[in-house]
Amino acid sequence: MEHAEPYKLIRWRVGQNIKAQLDRNGLTQSGLARMISKDRGNINRLLSGDANPSLDLLVKIADGLGVPLTDLFFGLDGVAPHDLKIDYDNEESQL
């Protein structure tokens, strides 16, 4: 996948961070969906970076997972959004 606009990269990174938290907590997409009263399809789009979540939804997710909101943005600090580059194949931020 080619590098995209910063907002797409940020959505993708947030989705990957949520996915990692689900793995750490032994939760499924369906479990998260039930926890925050959303459809599993919505969760799938969120995790893939295709959805644009509201701040309210991100707060609800962080609260449900029992993590600070900032954990959902891990890997995005210390750089202006226009300077973000993410290697999708290696799933690593290039900052």
Side-chain angles (χ1 to χ4, degrees), residues 24-62:
R24 282 188 198 107
N25 288 302
L27 291 171
T28 63
Q29 290 182 26
S30 296
L32 178 61
R34 281 189 302 275
M35 185 183 302
I36 63 170
S37 302
K38 291 288 179 187
D39 179 79
R40 195 189 79 63
N42 290 350
I43 300 303
N44 186 274
R45 285 187 296 282
L46 173 67
L47 298 184
S48 67
D50 293 331
N52 187 10
S54 69
L55 181 57
D56 291 349
L57 179 60
L58 293 174
V59 169
K60 190 181 257 191
I61 290 170

Side-chain angles (χ1 to χ4, degrees), residues 6-95:
Y7 61 89
K8 291 180 182 179
L9 296 173
I10 292 167
R11 287 195 320 243
W12 181 83
R13 172 48 61 202
V14 169
Q16 294 302 298
N17 289 338
I18 293 170
K19 206 182 284 189
Q21 289 297 332
L22 289 177
D23 290 344
R24 282 188 198 107
N25 288 302
L27 291 171
T28 63
Q29 290 182 26
S30 296
L32 178 61
R34 281 189 302 275
M35 185 183 302
I36 63 170
S37 302
K38 291 288 179 187
D39 179 79
R40 195 189 79 63
N42 290 350
I43 300 303
N44 186 274
R45 285 187 296 282
L46 173 67
L47 298 184
S48 67
D50 293 331
N52 187 10
S54 69
L55 181 57
D56 291 349
L57 179 60
L58 293 174
V59 169
K60 190 181 257 191
I61 290 170
D63 191 42
L65 294 172
V67 299
L69 182 61
T70 54
D71 282 8
L72 302 185
F73 294 92
F74 178 77
L76 295 171
D77 56 336
V79 65
H82 66 271
D83 289 333
L84 284 173
K85 292 182 180 85
I86 296 177
D87 182 346
Y88 291 94
D89 295 326
N90 295 322
E91 295 186 12
E92 294 178 3
S93 295
Q94 303 296 313
L95 305 178

